[in-house]
Structure formats: structure tokens, C-alpha cells
Amino acid sequence: MKSIEISSYEVYMDRAIALAEKGRGATSPNPMVGALIIKDDRVIAEGYHERVGEPHAEINALKNAVEDVAGATIVVSLEPCNHFGRTPPCTEAIIEAGIGKVVVGMVDPNPKCAGGGIKRLRDAGIEVEYGLLADKIARQNEAFIKYITTGRPFVVLKAAITLDGKISEAPGKNTAITGPDTKQKVHELRNEHDAIMVGIGTVITDDPMLTTRLEGVKAKNPIRVIVDSKARTPLNSRIVKSAREVRTIVAAGSRAAPANIENLKAHGIEALKLGRWDGAVDVELLLEELGRLEISSVLVEGGSSLIASFVKAGMVDKYMVFVAPKLLGGGGVDFVGGKLDSARMLSITATERFGDDILIEAYPADS
């Protein structure tokens, strides 16, 4: 197959990407996809994948067309599907509608499907070009790509730290680090991810709800995952009390007392035993299990020990670190607990200001 050269379609593909973004947080485990239909240099329809289980972007664009689409060009950010999943194949709808040309941004990253949609369309006599703004689309759908190619969720490590790298004044003490603008952004991140993960220390210290609170928005609560090697999550904690309203998983170690696990299950919590020989929770096995549950993205929020376990295991795909203009000095709790065997190099891709705080977005340097 021959990829497309940068052309006048770039503006349309940028619009398709913007449309796709409207589905962020609602399409998992599917990707975000946008589409528009062009006829005689006019956009006659737009659509995007709005929610998992509902029609894909191409189908919505076809339904929204204000005139006959026969002979028109459809620009779509991801290769149209050619298989039955939660919905029928989009390729067949495109063929039946009489579309004359398809411009695809990125080829389907699913190894089982890659190129299948393009081939089906070409076999039907439709002109297909692909590869336009593919890198930009891949970044937009980074969580989907990780999940569909490895079976594991995309892991975002989120932390709020001081300028001297502390997340708390002292062990077991809840310390406010960042300001209200950052807290708003954190809730937006929760709304975008399938699951949120914390360690048992955070549950005991903060008694958090780990839900999403956004004014004027119908927000989604992520699945709550508690890494608790001994299954000692307090039964009177807010997380346990709300477990029947918000899906909650406790990942316990191999030495967790069976009675503790049964008590948690009795309160509506799903319990997983994923221990190593030393009784700790194996984070790699945990990610594999979450992948089997169709969880494609996880926001790891701490604390220090859990962060360290993910960093040491090389299981962090993206870092989102909010740095506050504060100093806590000696005695504070380090962002990454314990000692690493070697320095971890990161590649900073973006910075953004939220009030007095600065968000640093970074990826492992070798990714």
C-alpha cells in the first residue's frame, strides 16, 4: 500500500482529529475517531465516535449528511473497521453509500485488523489514501494503541510535588500541595481514564473517594483500584462504603488473610490475588489482569511506594507531574519512594501552567 503525501486534505484531517477528541473518556476500549464528508470542496457532514457500543464516526457522518454522499470523499482519522464487534463493519456502510474516495489518517494498530479495512474498500473499487497526520492521531490514541497491541492498559503516573520533590510533609500526613486549578485538571484526568489506582497507604491516610467531580459536566467515575497486599482496606473507609455505587477492585498479595478478602467481597469489592513470593502485589500481573477486564488506561495517583513500584518495574507509559512553588525540606515524603537501581531518563514533551502550579508532561526517554 502507498501512503498519502501531505496535501490539501490536511486541514480536513485536523478537523477529524478535533472531532475525535470530543469522545475522550467515553469510547474505551475503542479508539477516539472523527470523520467528515467532502463533496465539491464542501463539508457536507461530520461525525465522531461518541461512546463505546454506539455507532462509529463514519456511520455518524453518513447519517448527518445534508445531501447525497455518492461520489464524495470521507476523511477519517482511523482506518474504517472491517469486522463485526459491538457494531457492524464501517467499510460496508461506506461501500453501500457510494463513497468515491476515503482518506485515512492512521492504519488500525490492531495487528489482527491492520490494513483489512483499506483492502476491503480498495477491493470494492474505492480510492483509498492513508498516512495523513498519523503521528498526531497515534498520540491522541496512545492508550488504545498500548491496550490493543499488548493487552495491558496505558499507565499514566500523576503526582503533585513540591519544588524539592516531596508529596507530603511526613509519612501518614495529608498535605495540600497544589492549588484549585490543578485539582480541577486532576478531575478532568479522572474523567478521561478507565481506572484510578492508589496504594493502601493513601487510603488509610486520606480516606479518599477517588471519584470525579466536575461542575456542569456529566462526569464518569473511573474504576477504583486499591493496591493492598494484606487486604486491610478499612471496612469503614469511604471507598468501601461506596463500593456498590462505584466499581472498586482491591489487588491483594499472596499472603493476604482469606477472611480480609471475604469481608471486602461482602461489601461489594472485587478482590484479586496477585502476589509475588514476598507477599507484595506484582504490578505487571495486575496490569495484565486489568487488561483482561477491558481497562485500557490507568491513572496511578500514589502514594510514594506504589509510584516507586511502577517506576522500578518500567511500567509507566506517561508522567504527568504537577509542581507547586513550595519547599518542604527534610523529613518530607519523596515523590518516588526508596532507591532506584539507576536513573530513569524522561523526555519532556509539554509544560502547562495551572494557577501557580506547572504541569510537566513526560514519557520514558526510550519510548
Side-chain angles (χ1 to χ4, degrees):
M1 294 186 292
K2 184 180 179 182
S3 63
I4 190 174
E5 299 295 330
I6 298 299
S7 69
S8 58
Y9 287 117
E10 186 169 327
V11 173
Y12 296 128
M13 189 61 72
D14 256 327
R15 176 58 183 163
I17 294 169
L19 289 167
E21 193 64 27
K22 293 183 177 183
R24 184 171 292 277
T27 64
S28 177
N30 290 345
M32 292 171 279
V33 185
L36 55 159
I37 300 173
I38 306 150
K39 192 169 187 179
D40 300 327
D41 295 324
R42 294 174 295 109
V43 176
I44 63 170
E46 292 185 338
Y48 68 98
H49 185 31
E50 298 177 14
R51 189 170 298 278
V52 63
E54 295 183 5
H56 290 181
E58 303 93 318
I59 305 303
N60 283 330
L62 289 169
K63 287 195 302 185
N64 293 337
V66 296
E67 62 184 82
D68 184 12
V69 301
T73 296
I74 186 167
V75 175
V76 59
S77 58
L78 190 71
E79 177 182 4
C81 64
N82 189 43
H83 61 280
F84 280 90
R86 289 179 171 88
T87 58
C90 292
T91 50
E92 301 311 307
I94 290 171
I95 293 167
E96 290 173 12
I99 292 289
K101 181 175 181 177
V102 179
V103 177
V104 173
M106 187 178 75
V107 175
D108 190 338
N110 187 341
K112 297 178 180 178
C113 306
I118 292 173
K119 183 179 185 303
R120 173 70 183 106
L121 293 169
R122 285 178 169 169
D123 287 347
I126 296 174
E127 181 184 356
V128 182
E129 295 178 331
Y130 72 96
L132 185 59
L133 302 185
D135 289 346
K136 188 174 182 179
I137 296 162
R139 181 68 81 190
Q140 181 181 56
N141 279 297
E142 58 191 0
F144 169 73
I145 293 171
K146 166 74 180 299
Y147 170 72
I148 205 67
T149 57
T150 69
R152 295 178 182 172
F154 187 84
V155 175
V156 177
L157 196 159
K158 189 281 298 179
I161 69 172
T162 61
L163 277 174
D164 52 349
K166 309 296 182 180
I167 61 172
S168 177
E169 290 180 50
K173 184 169 184 179
N174 186 342
T175 307
I177 301 292
T178 50
D181 292 343
T182 290
K183 288 180 173 59
Q184 172 75 11
K185 176 62 176 178
V186 168
H187 283 284
E188 291 174 6
L189 290 174
R190 289 181 180 182
N191 190 48
E192 294 170 7
H193 288 78
D194 291 350
I196 181 173
M197 185 185 296
V198 298
I200 181 59
T202 297
V203 173
I204 291 173
T205 299
D206 300 344
D207 192 21
M209 278 292 286
L210 303 180
T211 51
T212 305
R213 297 179 294 282
L214 292 171
E215 271 191 44
V217 176
K218 188 177 180 183
K220 172 194 73 178
N221 288 322
I223 298 168
R224 303 178 300 193
V225 181
I226 314 303
V227 179
D228 178 8
S229 60
K230 296 180 181 178
R232 59 192 175 104
T233 300
L235 298 182
N236 64 350
S237 65
R238 295 201 295 167
I239 278 180
V240 173
K241 289 179 179 178
S242 60
R244 297 194 190 279
E245 287 74 50
V246 182
R247 186 178 177 187
T248 306
I249 298 170
V250 166
S254 57
R255 299 178 188 175
N260 289 358
I261 290 178
E262 290 308 313
N263 285 335
L264 292 172
K265 286 182 176 180
H267 285 77
I269 285 178
E270 300 172 44
L272 305 173
K273 264 200 172 184
L274 300 163
R276 303 185 312 203
W277 62 271
D278 59 358
V281 173
D282 188 317
V283 295
E284 189 169 355
L285 287 178
L286 173 55
L287 292 178
E288 289 177 0
E289 185 61 31
L290 295 181
R292 281 192 282 272
L293 295 174
E294 289 195 334
I295 293 172
S296 67
S297 63
V298 177
L299 187 66
V300 176
E301 288 202 2
S304 182
S305 296
L306 182 65
I307 287 171
S309 67
F310 271 88
V311 174
K312 289 176 181 177
M315 292 291 146
V316 180
D317 297 300
K318 182 178 184 178
Y319 292 80
M320 298 192 77
V321 181
F322 296 87
V323 183
K326 296 179 181 179
L327 298 172
L328 286 178
V333 179
D334 291 331
F335 162 37
V336 181
K339 185 176 177 59
L340 300 178
D341 54 2
S342 63
R344 300 298 195 272
M345 296 302 297
L346 305 179
S347 174
I348 296 175
T349 54
T351 59
E352 187 175 355
R353 189 153 188 162
F354 291 89
D356 292 329
D357 309 321
I358 294 176
L359 168 61
I360 299 175
E361 178 187 281
Y363 294 81
D366 57 353
S367 66

